[in-house]
């Protein structure tokens, strides 16, 4: 029932009560002023009663008309509230469900039209709905790894433009562009299909932070919002820059970290930004307000990597403190995971319940959020026979420098560099059932240090940021390597 109708009833009730009171007052006043007896008294009382009833009826009609007039004045304002109140929560859920099903049917029909199939496959819709439920629960694992075939080295495309090592990468939500950051303090926007440089954000000299609109130190990390509105970079000089990805113009600069900004990531579908730093803290920022929100403490060493998905949580690695942590922002708590013997340098979420980590001890680990120890730990992951338990000397240890995951699937990747060799490589892995195993699929040799690694959201390619040096230091330099961005095409096997 609408607010307007309730208001009219209340007003009518009030007017009726006032009428009764007025009747009593009028009657008493008439008796006081009337003569003690006689026919004139009766006649006068009848006239007064008749006149009073007429007045009361007119008064009552006036009040009703007044109520109706007020209803007309406020009608436009109340109608929208009435309509919103009339739709119950259950009816709203039903309406949204129908709209969602229609959307899925349209998408499946478009797919079938491309494949030359008539009609809509109900089994495909049912499968899609089951996947959506698992994705919301954070447990989705699409089986796609076995479908990919090893790419040819000749098919790997190389984009060159940076003068020093490429340190970080991010792929646009539509998979059409790649942004790369470098030790030369520049950021380049690439077109994936052609390899063309669309824009270059040039770095400035140290000490010109107040005048130069851009990075003035090594760019260590990049992130892009899921709606494509913001590109964010973190630098060695403790600053976070916010850019317009389309025009590459500087929008805002965040200050607050007391050490190099080692990682930035957006929570999917929101304007919430997480940043990690060598000051051992994680900070949260609101991009709509361009404002600082809060700081999270817990790591005992440099925070080396960070990642996030849909939930209001962030995954971080703590370097030499040997821990990976999941920060539950709403609950104001954290989950702590231990398993590597060396520094944990990179982490990636596979889905909301599982993640991958790599260490400088050469090990690769799969984790579930319900267990503090790895579900699977592969030692010497980039040895010729990974996980065989063989002893490797320090000079031969293959440092896991980057990891990547094709989210909500069983396909992950890792990159290594060995201080005792002149090469690096990528290796793709298949996660087993319930993420309890890791099986190597194939290796892709690359010359240089792979500092960052990302899958396209549709799994069509893998992009690697390669340099002559590691992004955090100059412990060694491979002169033969090229500072470049490598696009590795990923093709699925054709069904026979």
């Amino acid at each position: 029932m609408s607010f307007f109708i309730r208001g009219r009833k209340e007003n009518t009730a009030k007017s009726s009560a006032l009428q009764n009171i007025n009747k009593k007052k009028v009657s008493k006043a008439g008796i006081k002023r009337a003569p003690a007896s006689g026919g004139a008294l009766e006649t006068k009382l009848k006239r007064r009663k008749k006149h009073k009833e007429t007045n009361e009826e007119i008064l009552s009609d006036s009040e009703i008309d007044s109520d109706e007039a007020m209803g007309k004045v406020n009608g436009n304002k109340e109608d929208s509230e009435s309509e919103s109140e009339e739709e119950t929560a259950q009816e709203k859920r039903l309406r949204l469900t129908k709209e969602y099903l229609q959307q899925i049917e349209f998408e499946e029909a478009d797919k079938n039209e491309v494949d030359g199939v008539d009609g809509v496959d109900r089994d495909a819709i049912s499968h899609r709905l089951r996947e959506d439920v698992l994705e919301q629960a954070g447990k989705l694992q699409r089986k796609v790894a076995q479908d990919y075939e090893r790419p040819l080295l000749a098919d790997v495309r190389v984009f060159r433009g940076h003068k020093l090592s490429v340190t970080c990468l991010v792929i646009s939500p539509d998979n059409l562009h790649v942004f790369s950051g470098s030790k030369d303090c520049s950021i380049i926007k690439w077109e994936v299909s052609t390899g063309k440089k669309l824009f270059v954000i040039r770095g400035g000299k140290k000490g010109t932070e107040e005048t130069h609109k851009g990075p003035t130190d090594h760019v260590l990390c990049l992130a892009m919002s899921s709606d494509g509105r913001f590109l964010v970079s973190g630098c060695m000089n403790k600053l976070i820059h916010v850019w317009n990805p389309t025009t590459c113009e500087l929008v805002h600069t965040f200050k607050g970290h007391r050490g190099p900004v080692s990682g930035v990531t957006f929570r999917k579908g929101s304007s919430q930004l997480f940043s990690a730093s060598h000051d051992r803290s994680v900070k949260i920022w609101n991009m709509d307000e361009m404002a600082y929100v809060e700081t999270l403490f817990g790591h005992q060493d440099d925070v080396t990597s960070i990642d996030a998905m849909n939930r209001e949580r962030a995954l971080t690695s703590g370097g030499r403190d040997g821990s990976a942590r999941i920060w539950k922002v709403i609950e104001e708590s954290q989950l702590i995971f231990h398993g590597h013997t060396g520094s944990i340098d990179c982490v990636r979420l596979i889905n909301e319940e599982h993640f991958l980590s790599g260490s400088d001890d050469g090990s690769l680990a799969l984790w579930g959020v319900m267990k503090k120890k790895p579900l699977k730990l592969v030692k010497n992951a980039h040895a010729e026979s990974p996980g065989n338990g063989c002893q490797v000397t320090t000079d031969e240890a293959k440092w896991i420098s980057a990891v990547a995951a094709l989210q909500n699937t069983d396909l992950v990747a890792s990159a290594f560099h060995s201080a005792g060799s002149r090469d690096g490589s990528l290796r793709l892995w298949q996660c087993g059932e319930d993420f309890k195993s890791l099986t190597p699929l194939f290796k892709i040799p690359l010359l240089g240090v792979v500092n960052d690694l990302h899958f396209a959201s549709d799994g069509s390619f893998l992009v690697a940021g390669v340099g002559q040096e590691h992004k955090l230091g100059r412990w060694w330099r491979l002169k033969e390597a090229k500072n470049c961005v490598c696009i590795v095409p990923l093709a699925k096997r054709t069904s026979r």
Side-chain angles (χ1 to χ4, degrees):
M1 187 179 291
S2 71
F3 177 80
F4 175 69
I5 294 173
R6 287 201 297 270
R8 278 192 59 182
K9 285 195 171 181
E10 288 173 3
N11 290 337
T12 306
K14 286 181 181 177
S15 64
S16 299
L18 288 171
Q19 289 172 23
N20 292 332
I21 292 169
N22 290 335
K23 280 181 182 180
K24 290 179 181 178
K25 287 182 179 179
V26 170
S27 300
K28 287 180 181 178
I31 290 169
K32 274 188 174 182
R33 290 194 296 269
S37 62
L41 174 63
E42 292 179 5
T43 305
K44 191 173 183 179
L45 285 173
K46 284 180 181 178
R47 277 186 204 150
R48 191 178 293 242
K49 185 176 180 183
K50 187 176 181 181
H51 181 67
K52 177 67 176 62
E53 286 175 353
T54 306
N55 286 341
E56 285 176 352
E57 286 174 5
I58 293 170
L59 177 64
S60 177
D61 290 338
S62 306
E63 288 182 352
I64 292 172
D65 291 341
S66 176
D67 285 344
E68 290 176 352
M70 290 297 293
K72 289 177 181 178
V73 171
N74 297 326
N76 294 335
K77 187 175 181 181
E78 302 289 349
D79 283 345
S80 59
E81 293 182 12
S82 301
E83 290 174 3
S84 62
E85 288 178 5
E86 285 173 4
E87 185 181 37
T88 64
Q90 185 175 358
E91 289 171 343
K92 185 177 181 180
R93 284 196 295 269
L94 182 61
R95 175 174 59 81
L96 293 174
T97 301
K98 288 180 178 179
E99 291 176 359
Y100 182 58
L101 285 172
Q102 286 179 351
Q103 181 184 350
I104 292 177
E105 286 181 0
F106 288 146
E107 291 176 0
E108 292 298 327
D110 289 341
K111 287 182 183 177
N112 291 340
E113 191 174 334
V114 172
D115 297 336
V117 180
D118 295 332
V120 178
D121 187 356
R122 297 294 172 185
D123 291 337
I125 294 176
S126 176
H127 179 70
R128 172 81 175 271
L129 290 173
R130 282 197 297 270
E131 284 192 346
D132 288 347
V133 170
L134 288 172
E135 185 173 0
Q136 288 296 323
K139 299 178 180 179
L140 180 60
Q141 186 188 23
R142 296 191 187 95
K143 306 293 185 181
V144 301
Q146 285 289 355
D147 297 336
Y148 286 96
E149 58 184 5
R150 181 175 180 173
L152 299 175
L153 193 58
D155 294 334
V156 177
R157 293 184 293 148
V158 177
F159 301 164
R160 295 188 60 189
H162 289 289
K163 296 178 181 178
L164 298 176
S165 294
V166 177
T167 55
C168 52
L169 300 162
V170 69
I171 305 173
S172 63
D174 56 12
N175 297 321
L176 298 178
H177 304 102
V178 170
F179 294 84
S180 60
S182 170
K183 279 188 174 184
D184 62 13
C185 311
S186 69
I187 299 172
I188 299 179
K189 180 180 180 179
W190 307 88
E191 188 175 45
V192 174
S193 59
T194 63
K196 182 181 178 181
K197 282 191 288 186
L198 300 180
F199 205 93
V200 179
I201 302 174
R202 303 195 180 279
K205 294 181 179 180
K206 290 184 180 180
T208 61
E209 289 83 2
E210 300 299 328
T211 57
H212 180 72
K213 291 187 177 181
T216 57
D217 209 337
H218 300 173
V219 182
L220 298 181
C221 51
L222 291 170
M224 197 168 179
S225 58
S226 53
D227 59 4
R229 289 170 55 204
F230 301 110
L231 171 70
V232 174
S233 62
C235 299
M236 185 72 78
N237 61 357
K238 314 170 190 176
L239 298 178
I240 298 173
H241 295 295
V242 182
W243 309 88
N244 181 330
T246 305
T247 62
C248 292
E249 293 179 352
L250 183 65
V251 176
H252 190 74
T253 299
F254 288 123
K255 298 179 181 179
H257 279 296
R258 298 183 178 182
V261 181
S262 55
V264 285
T265 188
F266 279 94
R267 178 186 166 206
K268 281 191 173 181
S270 78
S271 58
Q272 191 175 49
L273 175 71
F274 295 96
S275 64
S277 171
H278 290 183
D279 63 9
R280 306 182 181 184
S281 73
V282 175
K283 291 187 184 292
I284 304 175
W285 313 84
N286 185 320
M287 299 300 293
D288 288 334
E289 303 294 333
M290 289 296 169
Y292 160 80
V293 179
E294 65 176 314
T295 302
L296 310 176
F297 294 99
H299 278 295
Q300 304 302 309
D301 196 49
D302 300 349
V303 185
T304 55
S305 182
I306 190 167
D307 197 15
M309 286 184 69
N310 296 303
R311 295 179 184 172
E312 200 163 350
R313 297 180 177 186
L315 167 68
T316 57
S317 56
R320 291 290 171 188
D321 74 2
S323 72
R325 299 179 186 234
I326 290 181
W327 306 83
K328 296 182 176 182
V329 178
I330 297 176
E331 295 88 342
E332 296 183 352
S333 63
Q334 53 184 289
L335 304 175
I336 306 174
F337 306 88
H338 292 277
H340 293 284
T341 58
S343 172
I344 305 178
D345 289 345
C346 42
V347 287
R348 280 288 185 275
L349 283 163
I350 303 172
N351 57 30
E352 299 284 7
E353 299 288 326
H354 300 88
F355 64 94
L356 180 72
S357 66
S359 171
D360 68 354
D361 64 7
S363 62
L364 195 64
L366 270 177
W367 307 78
V369 297
M370 303 304 293
K371 291 190 176 182
K372 294 183 178 180
K373 297 294 182 182
L375 298 175
K376 177 62 178 179
L377 179 67
V378 181
K379 296 182 179 180
N380 309 318
H382 281 262
E384 291 304 318
S385 300
N388 58 9
C390 61
Q391 296 295 320
V392 181
T393 64
T394 304
D395 291 338
E396 295 174 342
K398 298 182 186 293
W399 181 350
I400 306 295
S401 55
V403 293
L406 185 55
Q407 291 182 345
N408 297 312
T409 72
D410 61 344
L411 182 64
V412 298
S414 62
F416 87 93
H417 174 74
S418 174
S421 70
R422 290 288 183 182
D423 67 335
S425 76
L426 306 179
R427 178 164 271 167
L428 270 66
W429 306 77
Q430 181 182 14
C431 302
E433 191 68 31
D434 297 326
F435 298 94
K436 292 183 179 180
S437 65
L438 268 175
T439 306
L441 295 175
F442 47 80
K443 186 169 71 171
I444 305 166
L446 291 177
L447 181 62
V449 182
V450 180
N451 286 312
D452 204 1
L453 203 57
H454 288 274
F455 280 102
S457 58
D458 59 1
S460 59
F461 63 90
L462 177 67
V463 58
V466 182
Q468 295 178 335
E469 303 168 347
H470 190 275
K471 65 180 179 180
L472 295 179
R474 304 189 65 182
W475 304 291
W476 58 85
R477 186 167 181 264
L478 303 178
K479 294 181 180 180
E480 298 86 354
K482 305 296 181 183
N483 301 311
C484 61
V485 173
C486 294
I487 304 292
V488 181
L490 298 176
K492 293 186 178 182
R493 294 184 178 90
T494 54
S495 56
R496 296 180 181 178

